[in-house]
Amino acid sequence: MAGSKFGALLVGVLIGAWLSSCMAYDFYVGDRHGWSPNPSEPFNNWAERNRFQVKDKLVFNYETEHDSVLLVSKEQYDTCNTTSSYLKLEGGHSTFAFSRSGPFYFISGNSTRCKDNGEKLIIIVMAIRDKSKVSPPSSHPILPPPSSSTLPSPAPQMAGESPSISPSEIEHPISAPPQHSSSHFSSNYSLGLFVSLLILGLSVGF
């Protein structure tokens, strides 16, 4: 009896851990203040406190009539050039999902807010190591292992609604930014916790 309870508990913990590893995060830019001019904390300072991965999402809340969000190149970011962009988000509430690793540059659609009021943001998304390309162990242990090499980073690819982008306009992906935990979980975390608790409850009932 005790063995079956322990087994059910172990299965629940493993399922919860697996679901947690697959989860994505929703990051609310500017927290409760949203995407707005003169933020109490510079947006890039906020970004440095967090850790971004592929499939995570940015959530932008802003003034519908007076603001928008532009995804731009580094040059456009540096000069607050709003005349063209890879993607324009508008409507007061927008989300952007990361489909690749590397840097992303966001500015306000209002050039004055970008230049004078600090409404601009750089996000670095962690690179993903492609495990499928790792060579299997050699069948002859006496042979020295092959020299390690850095796996290629995923090719730049924007979200589905964004136009195609020339690779020369995107910076090379960076392996990892400073590691910080996020404060916003996706529904996958709740699902994993629910499954773990459910299995734990069933084991206690037995």
Side-chain angles (χ1 to χ4, degrees), residues 30 38-49 117-118 120-121:
N38 301 312
S40 56
E41 178 186 22
F43 289 117
N44 286 340
N45 287 7
W46 170 83
E48 290 173 358
R49 293 193 292 102
N117 304 119
K120 56 196 305 188
L121 169 67

Side-chain angles (χ1 to χ4, degrees), residues 16-193:
W18 176 78
L19 289 174
S20 297
S21 66
C22 298
M23 66 187 174
Y25 294 82
D26 289 345
F27 293 89
Y28 289 81
V29 178
D31 296 324
R32 63 187 181 88
H33 299 290
W35 180 246
S36 59
N38 301 312
S40 56
E41 178 186 22
F43 289 117
N44 286 340
N45 287 7
W46 170 83
E48 290 173 358
R49 293 193 292 102
N50 292 288
R51 180 179 181 179
F52 303 93
Q53 302 184 61
V54 175
K55 296 184 180 180
D56 286 345
K57 295 180 181 179
L58 292 181
V59 180
F60 294 90
N61 293 308
Y62 49 93
E63 295 178 308
T64 304
E65 298 180 357
H66 304 289
D67 211 347
S68 61
V69 184
L70 303 182
L71 175 65
V72 297
S73 67
K74 184 180 185 304
E75 292 73 22
Q76 291 171 314
Y77 173 90
D78 292 336
T79 60
C80 288
N81 183 351
T82 60
T83 57
S84 63
S85 62
Y86 298 136
L87 179 68
K88 182 176 183 179
L89 305 174
E90 51 190 348
H93 177 82
S94 305
T95 60
F96 179 85
F98 298 117
S99 60
R100 62 165 179 83
S101 61
F104 290 81
Y105 302 91
F106 300 91
I107 62 174
S108 169
N110 183 319
S111 59
T112 300
R113 291 188 173 193
C114 176
K115 293 178 180 178
D116 302 332
N117 304 119
E119 202 169 331
K120 56 196 305 188
L121 169 67
I122 301 176
I123 298 293
I124 304 296
V125 178
M126 296 177 60
I128 296 179
R129 182 175 295 276
D130 189 351
K131 296 181 180 180
S132 65
K133 296 183 179 180
V134 177
S135 301
S138 174
S139 58
H140 303 284
I142 59 174
L143 296 178
S147 59
S148 60
S149 60
T150 303
L151 295 174
S153 301
Q157 180 180 0
M158 304 310 300
E161 59 182 320
S162 63
S164 60
I165 301 174
S166 171
S168 62
E169 296 179 306
I170 297 296
E171 302 296 321
H172 293 292
I174 298 177
S175 59
Q179 297 184 356
H180 298 284
S181 60
S182 168
S183 59
H184 300 282
F185 292 89
S186 70
S187 59
N188 286 336
Y189 176 80
S190 300
L191 178 60
L193 180 60

